[in-house]
């Protein structure tokens, strides 16, 4: 505490403190520094502001919600009903549909940032954040587009860079020889440029399934690589959203029973998905989501296209050549394009110099949900729960409540110290 106040005073008065040894500008931030202006960063900043705690949001891109604005395909909609995706303190507009489109979702987030007066510092990529034991503060270093370097010094650091910060592309034998188009779903917008082309989509999560559907709608010929097993669920059951119904049932029933219910419903609606090459995991969909974070596919029509043969299913890729792909079952086929729908990963290992709270292996908090939001020395995480937007909102509330207490205690301490010195001076 003494160190902090000494440093604050020194920084305010000493021009040396506004630069480090190089040309990096140094700024003292009285409240938390939040890294990332996706929905997690915005929710954290809004909750803090609501509690009277000012914060600063650093974002590498030039806008809020860059994942949704730049790295998603045109046909994307929220796949959970809007009430499960709202950020704290601001519901979606009533005239929005149950599953808002990407544009509507981005507009909602823009409105959210405006409503809470959140103005992130854009084009600031955080390249390192390290706790300085000596002064008891975090040093957050960023670099701007023009190479301008900054150091933000703060007591609290909120990591909100997300589970989807970097695209994952697997290494495949011979991939460098492929002469067709290659994309990750983060770059895919629509199938309009792939009309009548043979396209191999690798990965059968929600992205892979939806991209296949989109390709069908644009008269391309998609094939899908399913390397293991997958739970495909109908998006709606008995006229209600499957997710909403599951959450409701979970109030009374254990997860395994709810999973049984979901599997029976899926069987009644789809029949046996294994007969078209989509084997189900041994563990039920909600239990698997809770244990591993693997999201079940919420079907938006892809399964019917698989059944009709418009989308072919293949096992893992063995090797790739010129235009040719060999699968592990020995089959060989020609393709014009390959789209990797192989998911995303966190990027914290590349910039967060910390080993206790975040795993260096996958960049996720080590503690299981719901304990992963808080670390040591004022370090927090928002949006690493593998529970979508609902998880981000939960984290943002917890983190802001925790920081509010420390902020108020600090303010009280400061006012007492100032009060005492005022009395002494008189
Ligand atoms: C295609 C897709 C669809 C989804 N649909 C749903 C859904 O319907 N319902 C649901 O609940 N969940 C959904 N999810 C999951 C949910 O959207 C994500 O969990 C959500 O985007 C997470 O928000 P976030 O703010 O944590 O991360 P992001 O939205 O990824 O935001 C993180 C921000 O941090 C920035 N950043 C990263 N590294 C740095 C750095 N070093 N320095 C500065 N800034 C940095 C990024 O540019 C980004 O803007 C979806 C995810 C994807 C990929
Ligand atoms: N709102 C919406 O409609 C949408 C939501 N989303 C959400 O976005 C997040 C990311 O989804 P998504 O992009 O689908 O990523 P996921 O991580 O959910 O899925 C990746 C898929 O790729 C497979 N895979 C990984 N590596 C290989 C490989 N080498 N060979 C073959 N297959 C491979 C995985 O298989 P395995 O399981 O065996 O590891 C898995 O099926 C999820 O939370 C999802 O729910 C995504 C799209 C639409
Ligand atoms: O879209 C996602 O990735 C989500 O994590 C949302 C989500 C949280 N729990 C679920 C259970 C079933 C389907 C989606 C989700």
């Amino acid at each position: 505490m003494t160190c902090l106040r000494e440093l604050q005073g020194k920084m305010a008065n000493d021009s040396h403190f506004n630069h480090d040894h190089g040309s990096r500008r140094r700024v003292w931030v009285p409240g938390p520094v939040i890294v990332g202006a996706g929905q997690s960063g915005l929710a954290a900043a809004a909750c803090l502001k609501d509690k009277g705690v000012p914060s600063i949001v650093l974002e590498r891109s030039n806008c809020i919600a860059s994942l949704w604005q730049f790295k998603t395909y045109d046909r994307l909609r929220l796949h959970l009903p809007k009430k499960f995706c709202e950020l704290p303190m601001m519901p979606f507009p009533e005239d929005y549909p149950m599953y808002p489109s990407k544009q509507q979702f981005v507009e909602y987030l823009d409105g959210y940032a405006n409503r809470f007066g959140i103005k992130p510092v854009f084009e600031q990529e955080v390249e390192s954040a390290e706790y300085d034991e000596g002064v008891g503060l975090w040093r957050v270093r960023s670099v701007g587009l023009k190479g301008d370097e900054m150091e933000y010094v703060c007591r609290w650091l909120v990591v909100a860079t997300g589970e989807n910060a970097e695209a994952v592309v697997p290494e495949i034998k011979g991939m460098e020889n492929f002469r067709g188009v290659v994309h990750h779903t983060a770059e895919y917008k629509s199938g309009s440029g792939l009309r009548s082309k043979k396209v191999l989509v690798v990965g059968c999560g929600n992205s892979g399934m939806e991209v296949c559907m989109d390709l069908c709608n644009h008269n391309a010929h998609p094939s899908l690589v399913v390397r293991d097993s997958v739970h495909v669920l109908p998006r709606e059951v008995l006229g209600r959203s499957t997710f909403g119904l599951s959450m409701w049932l979970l109030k009374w029933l254990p997860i395994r029973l709810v999973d049984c219910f979901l599997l029976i419903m899926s069987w009644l609606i789809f029949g046996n998905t294994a007969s078209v090459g989509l084997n189900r995991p041994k563990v039920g969909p909600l239990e698997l989501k809770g244990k591993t974070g693997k999201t079940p596919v919420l079907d938006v029509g892809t399964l019917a296209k698989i059944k009709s043969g418009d989308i072919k299913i293949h096992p893992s890729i063995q090797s790739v050549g010129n235009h040719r792909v060999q699968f592990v079952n020995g089959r060989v086929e020609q393709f014009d394009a390959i789209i990797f729908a192989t998911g995303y990963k966190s990027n914290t290992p590349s910039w967060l110099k910390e080993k206790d709270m975040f795993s260096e292996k996958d960049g996720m908090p080590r503690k299981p949900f719901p304990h992963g939001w808080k670390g040591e020395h004022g370090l927090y995480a928002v949006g690493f729960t593998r529970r979508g937007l609902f998880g981000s909102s939960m984290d943002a509330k917890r983190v802001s409540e925790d920081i509010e207490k420390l902020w108020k205690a600090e303010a009280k301490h400061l006012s007492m110290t100032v009060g005492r010195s005022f009395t002494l001076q008189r």
Side-chain angles (χ1 to χ4, degrees):
M1 236 15 125
T2 323
C3 279
L4 169 66
R5 226 158 285 120
E6 270 170 16
L7 191 82
Q8 264 175 278
K10 218 170 173 187
M11 279 181 154
N13 300 323
D14 187 346
S15 62
H16 291 304
F17 250 94
N18 294 323
H19 288 272
D20 66 8
H21 297 301
S23 59
R24 192 180 287 274
R25 278 218 319 127
R26 186 178 282 160
V27 179
W28 158 250
V29 182
V33 167
I34 300 170
V35 187
Q39 43 272 53
S40 299
L42 295 178
C47 290
L48 285 162
K49 184 142 194 186
D50 184 57
K51 294 175 171 23
V53 184
S55 64
I56 179 167
V57 183
L58 305 179
E59 166 58 50
R60 67 179 170 187
S61 184
N62 62 0
C63 62
I64 61 154
S66 66
L67 175 74
W68 279 76
Q69 301 219 47
F70 299 141
K71 297 185 179 174
T72 54
Y73 41 88
D74 297 343
R75 59 160 285 139
L76 180 67
R77 292 184 160 270
L78 291 177
H79 63 169
L80 306 185
K82 60 180 181 179
K83 75 168 174 175
F84 298 105
C85 297
E86 65 192 27
L87 299 190
M89 303 176 288
M90 186 171 137
F92 280 97
E94 275 190 15
D95 60 348
Y96 268 33
M98 168 119 101
Y99 302 103
S101 68
K102 155 164 118 169
Q103 286 75 10
Q104 287 171 321
F105 184 53
V106 171
E107 274 164 30
Y108 165 77
L109 293 177
D110 251 330
Y112 190 83
N114 284 338
R115 165 132 169 216
F116 295 99
I118 305 163
K119 293 192 177 67
V121 186
F122 292 119
E123 295 175 346
Q124 284 293 312
E125 172 142 24
V126 172
E127 50 178 20
S128 80
E130 193 164 10
Y131 184 66
D132 184 332
E133 298 265 0
V135 285
L137 297 169
W138 286 90
R139 294 183 182 276
V140 183
R141 294 186 170 159
S142 69
V143 57
L145 267 192
K146 294 185 188 123
D148 41 316
E149 297 179 323
M150 295 287 292
E151 182 177 271
Y152 298 88
V153 182
C154 57
R155 277 204 61 189
W156 300 289
L157 175 62
V158 181
V159 180
T161 44
E163 299 160 350
N164 306 309
E166 310 293 343
V168 171
V169 178
E171 277 186 22
I172 294 178
K173 196 174 147 204
M175 197 58 215
E176 67 283 2
N177 302 323
F178 187 70
R179 294 281 160 266
V181 175
V182 180
H183 283 312
H184 185 272
T185 45
E187 300 143 353
Y188 178 94
K189 292 291 158 210
S190 94
S192 58
L194 292 166
R195 216 167 286 275
S196 77
K197 302 283 186 211
K198 285 191 74 182
V199 185
L200 183 63
V201 178
V202 185
C204 61
N206 279 293
S207 297
M209 290 289 201
E210 290 225 354
V211 163
C212 279
M213 187 67 199
D214 191 60
L215 287 164
C216 287
N217 292 343
H218 287 91
N219 297 321
H221 306 294
S223 295
L224 179 65
V225 172
V226 181
R227 69 167 170 188
D228 190 15
S229 54
V230 58
H231 276 301
V232 184
L233 303 177
R235 197 177 62 171
E236 270 103 27
V237 169
L238 307 171
R240 289 182 63 176
S241 91
T242 307
F243 184 83
L245 197 57
S246 308
M247 293 303 116
W248 184 75
L249 288 172
L250 280 173
K251 289 183 190 166
W252 291 282
L253 301 175
I255 195 160
R256 291 209 172 156
L257 265 186
V258 180
D259 270 344
C260 275
F261 167 80
L262 291 177
L263 291 173
I264 291 168
M265 284 299 158
S266 300
W267 190 83
L268 289 173
I269 294 169
F270 297 140
N272 181 10
T273 56
S275 66
V276 290
L278 303 175
N279 293 314
R280 287 193 182 274
K282 290 198 173 66
V283 179
L286 295 180
E287 196 180 348
L288 192 68
K289 175 77 183 156
K291 278 187 175 153
T292 68
K294 187 169 168 171
T295 316
V297 169
L298 294 169
D299 183 59
V300 286
T302 315
L303 199 60
K305 295 281 182 193
I306 294 173
K307 281 186 186 165
S308 66
D310 291 316
I311 301 169
K312 286 192 205 154
I313 302 290
H314 291 287
S316 286
I317 298 173
Q318 176 78 50
S319 64
V320 173
N322 197 334
H323 270 279
R324 150 194 172 284
V325 176
Q326 177 164 13
F327 298 96
V328 289
N329 60 0
R331 274 191 73 154
V332 176
E333 290 223 14
Q334 303 285 319
F335 290 99
D336 302 302
I338 299 181
I339 295 168
F340 286 105
T342 39
Y344 298 85
K345 63 178 182 195
S346 159
N347 68 0
T348 55
S350 70
W351 61 269
L352 185 60
K353 312 285 175 234
E354 189 272 348
K355 290 191 179 75
D356 297 330
M357 181 177 178
F358 281 84
S359 152
E360 285 165 306
K361 208 167 126 234
D362 63 3
M364 298 288 287
R366 291 179 194 277
K367 285 190 199 155
F369 178 83
H371 308 292
W373 58 277
K374 186 173 178 180
E376 293 294 316
H377 307 306
L379 180 61
Y380 296 90
V382 176
F384 293 87
T385 63
R386 297 204 198 270
R387 276 158 182 82
L389 302 164
F390 180 72
S392 299
S393 296
M394 267 176 76
D395 280 346
K397 286 181 203 154
R398 285 193 170 127
V399 167
S400 60
E401 278 161 18
D402 206 67
I403 296 180
E404 180 195 19
K405 278 187 223 142
L406 301 165
W407 173 265
K408 283 192 173 153
E410 174 95 337
K412 197 170 159 198
H413 196 102
L414 263 176
S415 70
M416 275 166 62
T417 318
V418 172
R420 205 176 314 129
S421 67
F422 182 67
T423 319
L424 285 176
Q425 274 169 23
R426 274 206 309 170

